């Protein structure tokens, strides 16, 4: 009896365990043996993998083995299986396909198309299946030969291909040979997706892409190089080449199959008018997701690259191997390619909490990605042993993840640094020193010191070193100290692409020629940040006593690359690294020629259509550009490093996570408006700006919201417009036009500034979420205004070309 009891206990210990979920699909933290989960009707998770042959429009089915405890001997999904406790979805999908059918595919073959909840009871009530299924589609070009499969006899007794529409018909009539799925319910999405992709109207799709493209006004940013030293012109060639590498890295950061998609679209752009349109719109968005349409996909996996695997299955004579489409999901992944595709926030947080403090800082660093040991093992073919789920995630620094690309960029920057302006003067002085040694020795040492302090040479070499070391502190200080006619910003900076946490920085590059006259005019703003900080509309306890003056540089943009997709930035305030912000503050770069292009091409037409006639003349470039300056200044003031109610030190970015970017953009905007009013009250700016800045801001609201509510600037702008409209500061009129109520605008601006600054200072994520949930939405007034602008076809943004850089790259 004791022996039998021991045998049963041992059997239960070896039985597969599942994570128990809530009815809404969230993990409870509890796991149970498989038999108990199905006995008790616990919610759990599984994967479905469908193999679809493009050329024959057929789905692969498997016949379930007769020994299966559910649906024995019936035709079913290509491959399926439960996700064991602690395991991830994509890894399970890959394993199940290999174990059941002998097909070994990389992760870019799997497209998550939807999640399906199956709730059913079989075996006379003994088997209760409440199962969330992650449904994956693998798109092959042709059917896989029968001989290529290696079937797992305990799971699969046979396989066959069947036309997808025939299979749908059999399911609809509930054919007894097939496992039932409700094709009129959730599972109908499988057939809808396939049909939409392969029975599209080419003309209609071309028109849709043309309409999307028309939202961008093409502008040529042709910059004069006449003020540039000859050595800097030579260096520019290598700097532009380094910038193109930022593009390569950003494509990969967006999604792991994105570089293959880009190359495929470029290669096939000249084969048809539709393919040309696909490539044109892809170049603007740098991914298959449209920035202006809340990241809705404008391409599908059916448009993607074809890849060939010769060893994915058993070898079949005279068959070259398995060809498949490099997949990407319909919904843009919140974590981009910074985290495993199937990692959720709960998994990350549990793992991160288990790390030592220094490792936690690395995990949430700007400059690392998170990967899975189990994926590395699967890709390497090292072992089939399962990894401890609590230790599956690991940290990879950018310098390792993008090693070959960063080495290439570093080489270009070192070459540029070797020939920049400062070297020329040092060599000249070295020659003169040998002649007038005593008099010039002192001058020689002084110039070397000061050239290295603020030179372009120092920036280029330090940034190249940072690419290889993953330590960006010194290079960012060099960037802040840059005093050069040739202005260069290059590296990982903004975190907008990481919508899961807002931790990870994307690579970008901005190259421009400094506008010395405009730069000199803006010193006022950078020099008065401490004064603005002291007077911010928030509790004094939250104010910083030492805000560094922010250098402001105005440039004419010559070239940009990397994370510059969709709407073009007018300015940027960097770095975002809180260590540097606290130690040294920030520095701002204004893109004057981009601002002028947007004002003329977009803001003036918006004002004509949306602003009440009596206030239209108040919309001017000076107000628009001045507020842009103040926006960037205000990124440098207000809360950054904060003390939480429990006394713990943290940062606004870490506490607000996915809400940080939108709220920070809203803060910079609205506090920037408050700051302009304050500087006018201090007689530092002309009173003539007072009304024009508010009306220009109102017109600018409609411009930014058109970027989409998934984009940080667009969502932040919606928050501001809706708040000010609710307070009566913005007023709607007949003919769908709006005006500013000057008697209410100041109080409403100050009130929203106080609200956002206090949320940031307290690190109150819940309050941030509620504020954005209430105000960061498409309300009726906004909808009406935006529809009007679309009907009269006012461009949403500009699509720049760069003749000078293009000429360099053609050499």
């Amino acid at each position: 009896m004791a022996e039998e009891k021991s045998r049963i206990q041992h059997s239960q210990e070896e039985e597969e365990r599942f994570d128990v979920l809530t009815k809404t699909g969230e993990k409870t933290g509890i796991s149970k043996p498989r038999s108990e989960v199905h006995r008790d009707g616990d919610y759990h998770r599984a994967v479905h993998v469908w193999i679809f042959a493009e050329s024959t429009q057929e789905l692969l089915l498997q016949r379930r083995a007769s020994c299966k405890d559910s649906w024995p001997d019936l035709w079913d999904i290509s491959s399926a299986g439960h996700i064991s406790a602690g395991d991830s979805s994509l890894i399970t999908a890959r394993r199940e396909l290999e174990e059941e059918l002998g097909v070994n595919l990389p992760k870019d073959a799997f497209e998550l198309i939807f999640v399906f909840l199956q709730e059913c009871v079989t075996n006379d009530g003994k088997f209760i299946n409440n199962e969330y299924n992650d449904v994956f589609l693998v798109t092959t070009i042709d059917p896989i030969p029968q001989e290529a499969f290696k079937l797992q006899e305990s799971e699969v007794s046979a396989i066959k291909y069947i036309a997808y529409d025939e299979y749908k018909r059999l399911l609809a009539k509930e054919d007894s040979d097939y496992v039932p799925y409700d094709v009129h319910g959730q599972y109908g999405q499988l057939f809808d997706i396939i049909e939409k992709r392969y029975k599209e109207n080419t003309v209609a799709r071309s028109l849709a892409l043309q309409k999307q493209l028309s939202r961008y006004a093409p502008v040529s940013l042709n910059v004069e190089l006449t003020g540039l030293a000859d050595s800097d012109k030579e260096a520019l060639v290598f700097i532009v080449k380094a910038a193109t590498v930022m593009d390569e890295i950003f494509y990969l950061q967006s999604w792991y199959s994105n570089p293959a998609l880009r190359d495929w679209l470029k290669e096939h752009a000249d084969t048809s008018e539709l393919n040309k349109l696909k490539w044109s719109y892809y170049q603007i968005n740098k991914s298959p997701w449209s920035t202006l349409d809340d990241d809705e996909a404008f391409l599908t996996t059916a448009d993607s690259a074809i890849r060939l695997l010769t060893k994915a299955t058993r070898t079949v004579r005279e068959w070259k191997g398995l060809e498949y489409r490099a997949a990407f999901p319909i919904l843009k992944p919140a974590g981009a390619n910074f985290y495993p595709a199937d990692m959720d926030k709960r998994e990350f947080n549990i793992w991160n909490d288990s790390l030592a403090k220094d490792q936690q800082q690395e995990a949430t660093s700007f400059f690392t990605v998170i990967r899975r040991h189990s994926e590395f093992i699967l890709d390497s073919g090292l072992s089939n042993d399962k990894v401890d789920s609590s230790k599956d995630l690991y940290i990879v620094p950018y310098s390792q993840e993008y090693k070959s690309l960063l080495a290439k960029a570093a080489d270009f920057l070192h070459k540029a640094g070797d020939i920049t302006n400062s070297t020329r003067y040092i060599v000249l002085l070295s020659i003169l020193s040998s002649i007038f040694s005593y008099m010039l020795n002192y001058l020689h040492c002084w110039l070397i010191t000061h050239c290295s302090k603020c030179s372009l040479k120092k920036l280029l070499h330090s940034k190249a070193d940072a690419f290889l070391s993953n330590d960006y502190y010194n290079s960012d200080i060099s960037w802040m100290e840059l005093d050069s006619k040739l202005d260069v910003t290059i590296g990982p900076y903004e975190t907008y692409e990481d919508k899961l946490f807002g931790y990870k920085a994307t690579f970008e590059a901005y190259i421009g020629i400094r506008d010395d006259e405009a730069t000199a005019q803006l010193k006022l703003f950078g020099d008065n940040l401490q004064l603005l900080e002291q007077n911010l509309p928030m509790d004094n306890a939250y104010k910083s006593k030492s805000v560094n003056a922010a250098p402001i540089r105005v440039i004419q943009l010559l070239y940009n690359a990397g994370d510059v997709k969709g709407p073009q930035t007018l300015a940027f305030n960097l770095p975002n690294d809180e260590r540097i912000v606290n130690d040294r503050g920030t520095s701002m770069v204004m893109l004057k020629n981009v601002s002028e292009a947007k004002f003329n091409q977009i803001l003036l037409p918006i004002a004509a259509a949306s602003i009440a006639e009596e206030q239209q003349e108040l919309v001017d470039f000076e107000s628009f550009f001045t507020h842009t300056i103040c926006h960037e200044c205000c990124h440098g003031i207000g809360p950054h490093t904060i003390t939480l109610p429990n006394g713990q030190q943290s940062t606004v970015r870490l506490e607000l996570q996915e809400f940080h970017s939108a709220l920070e953009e809203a803060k910079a905007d609205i506090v920037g408006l408050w700051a302009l009013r304050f500087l006018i009250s201090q007689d530092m700016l002309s009173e003539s700006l007072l009304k024009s800045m508010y009306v220009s801001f109102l017109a600018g609201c409609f411009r930014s919201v058109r970027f989409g509510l998934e984009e940080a600037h667009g969502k932040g702008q919606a928050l501001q417009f809706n708040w000010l409209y609710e307070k009566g500061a913005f007023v709607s009129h007949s003919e769908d036009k709006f005006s500013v109520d000057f008697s209410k605008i100041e109080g409403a601006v100050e009130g929203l500034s106080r609200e956002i600054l206090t949320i940031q200072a307290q690190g109150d994520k819940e309050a941030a979420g509620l504020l954005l949930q209430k105000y960061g939405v498409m309300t009726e007034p906004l909808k009406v205004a935006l529809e009007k602008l679309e009907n009269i076809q006012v461009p949403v943004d500009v699509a720049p070309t760069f003749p000078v850089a293009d000429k360099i790259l053609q050499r």
Side-chain angles (χ1 to χ4, degrees):
M1 184 75 175
E3 183 178 342
E4 176 66 13
K5 184 177 180 180
S6 175
R7 185 186 66 77
I8 293 171
Q9 287 176 338
H10 181 69
S11 175
Q12 288 179 335
E13 287 173 1
E14 291 185 339
E15 187 178 359
E16 185 179 18
R17 299 182 71 88
F18 300 157
D19 286 316
V20 176
L21 310 179
T22 66
K23 193 169 183 177
T24 56
E26 302 296 322
K27 287 184 179 180
T28 62
I30 300 169
S31 68
K32 291 169 63 173
R34 172 193 177 110
S35 59
E36 293 182 16
V37 165
H38 285 299
R39 179 198 67 195
D40 300 338
D42 293 312
Y43 286 83
H44 57 287
R45 191 170 290 277
V47 296
H48 290 182
V49 181
W50 290 96
I51 295 179
F52 174 72
E54 207 174 63
S55 62
T56 60
Q57 301 284 284
E58 292 177 314
L59 288 165
L60 179 71
L61 302 185
Q62 66 159 266
R63 187 191 289 274
R64 296 171 66 84
S66 57
C67 61
K68 296 292 291 181
D69 55 6
S70 62
W71 314 111
D73 292 320
L74 299 189
W75 291 101
D76 199 5
I77 306 156
S78 309
S79 176
H82 290 100
I83 300 176
S84 299
D87 275 359
S88 66
S89 174
L90 182 55
I91 295 296
T92 300
R94 294 176 65 186
R95 281 180 180 154
E96 289 295 330
L97 194 60
E98 183 174 12
E99 290 172 3
E100 292 185 355
L101 303 182
V103 179
N104 183 6
L105 294 176
K107 65 181 180 181
D108 72 343
F110 294 79
E111 176 188 358
L112 180 63
I113 52 176
F114 61 91
V115 177
F116 163 62
L117 175 58
Q118 186 176 28
E119 296 173 299
C120 62
V121 180
T122 58
N123 297 355
D124 298 323
K126 297 176 183 177
F127 189 92
I128 306 172
N129 195 37
N130 291 323
E131 190 171 87
Y132 279 93
N133 297 282
D134 292 342
V135 182
F136 291 90
L137 183 65
V138 172
T139 302
T140 64
I141 304 307
D142 299 307
I144 302 170
Q146 291 266 343
E147 310 93 301
F149 293 102
K150 182 181 179 182
L151 306 186
Q152 185 180 18
E153 294 181 1
S154 62
E155 298 285 338
V156 184
S157 61
I159 54 166
K160 70 174 182 180
Y161 275 97
I162 183 172
Y164 82 90
D165 49 359
E166 172 64 11
Y167 180 48
K168 180 181 179 181
R169 186 184 65 80
L170 292 168
L171 291 177
K173 73 172 192 175
E174 299 181 4
D175 190 294
S176 60
D177 287 335
Y178 296 84
V179 174
Y181 293 100
D182 183 6
V183 295
H184 301 296
Q186 292 182 66
Y187 225 90
Q189 294 177 79
L190 170 66
F191 304 98
D192 293 342
I193 288 169
I194 293 173
E195 185 162 344
K196 184 177 179 181
R197 288 181 184 181
Y198 296 99
K199 291 187 177 180
E200 69 174 358
N201 183 319
T202 302
V203 174
R205 191 172 181 199
S206 294
L207 290 172
L209 283 168
Q210 286 171 350
K211 186 177 180 181
Q212 289 176 304
L213 277 164
S214 70
R215 294 177 296 179
Y216 289 90
V219 294
S220 177
L221 300 182
N222 201 357
V223 179
E224 293 293 330
L225 303 182
T226 50
L228 216 56
D230 290 342
S231 59
D232 286 353
K233 290 178 183 178
E234 293 175 32
L236 179 61
V237 175
F238 293 107
I239 295 169
V240 170
K241 289 180 178 179
T244 64
V245 181
M246 302 301 102
D247 260 339
E248 300 291 320
I249 298 174
F250 178 67
Y251 285 122
L252 189 55
Q253 289 184 305
S254 296
W255 187 247
Y256 45 75
S257 65
N258 197 33
L261 172 64
R262 174 206 59 203
D263 293 344
W264 180 266
L265 292 173
K266 183 178 181 180
E267 181 184 346
H268 293 81
D270 294 331
T271 59
S272 71
E273 183 61 26
L274 177 57
N275 284 342
K276 183 179 180 180
L277 291 168
K278 290 177 189 177
W279 173 235
S280 296
Y281 199 52
Y282 176 89
Q283 286 179 284
I284 289 174
N285 291 281
K286 298 195 173 188
S287 81
W289 301 288
S290 175
T291 308
L292 291 182
D293 298 298
D294 294 335
D295 291 329
E296 180 182 337
F298 64 94
L299 298 172
T300 73
T301 295
D303 300 308
S304 191
I306 296 175
R307 291 186 156 180
L308 172 65
L309 295 175
T310 58
K311 297 181 179 179
T313 65
R314 281 178 168 171
T315 302
V316 177
R317 191 175 178 182
E318 297 183 358
W319 182 54
K320 64 180 178 181
L322 190 155
E323 288 184 298
Y324 71 95
R325 295 277 186 186
F328 54 86
I330 298 168
L331 298 177
K332 184 176 181 180
N337 193 25
F338 300 118
Y339 311 92
D342 52 4
M343 186 204 81
D344 58 22
K345 296 185 74 168
R346 184 179 185 277
E347 180 184 5
F348 178 89
N349 288 330
I350 290 174
W351 167 73
N352 191 45
D353 289 344
S354 72
L355 301 176
K357 191 166 185 177
D358 60 334
Q359 289 180 304
Q360 289 181 349
Q361 291 176 347
E362 285 296 302
T364 59
S365 164
F366 289 106
F367 315 124
T368 62
V369 297
I370 309 301
R371 298 291 178 246
R372 287 195 187 280
H373 286 294
S374 54
E375 182 180 305
F376 176 78
I377 290 169
L378 199 58
D379 288 339
S380 306
L382 297 176
S383 168
N384 287 322
D385 294 340
K386 289 181 63 176
V387 177
D388 181 350
S389 61
S390 66
K391 300 176 181 177
D392 193 20
L393 300 177
Y394 67 99
I395 303 164
V396 183
Y398 280 3
S399 55
Q400 182 179 333
E401 180 74 4
Y402 313 116
K403 185 175 181 179
S404 61
L405 290 170
L406 288 173
K408 183 179 177 182
D411 182 58
F412 284 136
L413 292 185
H414 277 312
K415 286 177 178 176
D418 288 342
I419 57 175
T420 50
N421 203 22
S422 59
T423 302
R424 184 165 55 112
Y425 290 123
I426 291 169
V427 171
L428 175 62
L429 281 171
S430 294
I431 296 170
L432 291 173
S433 290
S434 65
I435 303 171
F436 306 106
S437 57
Y438 182 77
M439 293 175 59
L440 287 178
N441 267 345
Y442 176 79
L443 179 59
H444 182 206
C445 295
W446 181 91
L447 190 53
I448 290 175
T449 301
H450 285 74
C451 282
S452 65
K453 179 181 178 183
C454 57
S455 70
L456 178 61
K457 177 185 180 70
K458 181 183 178 184
L459 169 65
L460 298 174
H461 285 307
S462 63
K463 189 63 71 173
D465 292 340
F467 285 164
L468 305 181
S469 69
N470 216 51
D471 183 353
Y472 287 88
Y473 188 93
N474 290 332
S475 70
D476 281 340
I477 295 294
S478 297
W479 177 81
M480 292 182 67
E481 295 175 342
L482 181 64
D483 182 9
S484 168
K485 188 71 174 177
L486 178 57
D487 197 277
V488 179
T489 302
I490 188 167
Y493 286 109
E494 303 292 6
T495 61
Y496 303 127
E497 196 74 1
D498 178 5
K499 290 184 171 66
L500 195 64
F501 289 108
Y503 293 158
K504 307 303 176 187
T506 49
F507 283 82
E508 61 187 42
Y510 292 89
I511 304 168
I513 307 301
R514 188 176 63 194
D515 185 326
D516 292 320
E517 182 180 350
T519 297
Q521 293 173 348
L522 302 183
K523 195 170 183 295
L524 162 76
F525 296 95
D527 289 348
N528 285 285
L529 290 189
Q530 185 63 62
L531 179 64
L532 292 173
E533 176 78 20
Q534 289 170 354
N535 288 276
L536 283 173
M538 67 174 179
D539 193 296
N540 287 332
Y542 300 138
K543 296 176 183 178
S544 173
K545 293 180 174 58
S546 58
V547 175
N548 293 290
I552 304 176
R553 312 195 291 262
V554 180
I555 68 170
Q556 303 291 341
L557 184 65
L558 182 150
Y559 185 64
N560 65 13
D563 188 3
V564 293
K565 66 184 187 303
Q568 297 294 297
T569 189
L570 296 171
F572 47 87
N573 184 3
L574 298 173
N576 290 319
D577 187 332
E578 292 91 352
R579 299 172 304 164
I580 299 176
V581 173
N582 290 331
D583 294 347
R584 301 289 295 270
T586 59
S587 185
M588 283 162 272
V589 177
M590 317 295 298
L591 313 181
K592 190 171 184 181
N593 53 349
V594 179
S595 297
E596 289 169 339
K598 290 200 182 198
F599 181 80
N600 292 323
Q601 297 279 345
I602 300 161
L603 202 67
L604 285 179
I606 286 176
S610 302
I611 303 300
E613 191 171 346
E614 66 273 13
Q615 292 189 357
Q616 285 182 17
E617 64 180 13
L618 294 171
V619 177
D620 60 35
F621 179 72
E622 182 186 4
S623 300
F624 174 65
F625 191 60
T626 305
H627 179 258
T628 303
I629 296 164
C630 241
H631 169 105
E632 297 304 329
C633 283
C634 290
H635 277 306
I637 60 176
H640 290 95
T641 298
I642 57 176
T643 302
L644 301 177
N646 62 7
Q648 180 183 344
Q649 291 287 304
S650 187
T651 67
V652 177
R653 178 178 65 92
L654 288 177
E655 295 306 314
L656 300 192
Q657 296 184 354
E658 71 270 25
F659 302 132
H660 173 257
S661 291
L663 207 65
E664 176 61 22
E665 290 306 323
K667 179 208 83 172
D669 253 353
I670 201 70
V671 175
L673 207 54
W674 167 87
L676 286 177
R677 180 66 186 94
F678 176 80
L679 292 173
I680 290 170
S681 72
Q682 301 297 304
D683 297 324
M684 294 183 181
L685 288 175
S686 170
E687 188 85 20
S688 64
L689 277 174
L690 192 56
K691 290 185 176 180
S692 62
M693 72 184 190
Y694 290 128
V695 181
S696 297
F697 178 81
L698 170 58
C701 285
F702 301 128
R703 182 185 70 85
S704 296
V705 172
R706 297 175 82 201
F707 297 161
L709 298 189
E710 289 301 312
E711 198 269 344
H713 298 79
K715 195 171 191 69
Q717 196 73 71
L719 158 62
Q720 295 167 82
F721 175 88
N722 290 325
W723 174 286
L724 296 174
Y725 186 83
E726 180 185 85
K727 306 303 180 188
F730 292 160
V731 181
S732 59
H733 303 280
S734 60
E735 300 182 353
D736 302 326
K737 293 198 174 187
F738 296 81
S739 67
V740 175
D741 185 332
F742 297 112
S743 68
K744 296 180 180 179
I745 186 72
E746 289 183 23
V749 166
E750 182 168 328
L752 181 55
S753 297
R754 184 183 303 278
E755 182 80 10
I756 293 175
L757 289 166
T758 302
I759 288 172
Q760 289 185 322
Q762 295 175 347
D764 192 340
K765 183 181 178 183
E766 181 181 0
L770 290 172
L771 186 67
L772 287 166
Q773 183 180 8
K774 181 177 180 180
Y775 293 103
V777 294
M778 187 59 66
T779 55
E780 189 61 26
L782 275 177
K783 185 178 179 182
V784 167
L786 267 55
E787 284 177 351
K788 182 178 182 180
L789 295 175
E790 184 176 352
N791 290 337
I792 63 175
Q793 297 185 335
V794 175
V796 177
D797 209 73
V798 296
T801 54
F802 305 101
V804 174
D806 290 343
K807 189 174 180 180
I808 288 172
L809 294 172
Q810 289 169 6
R811 292 180 186 179

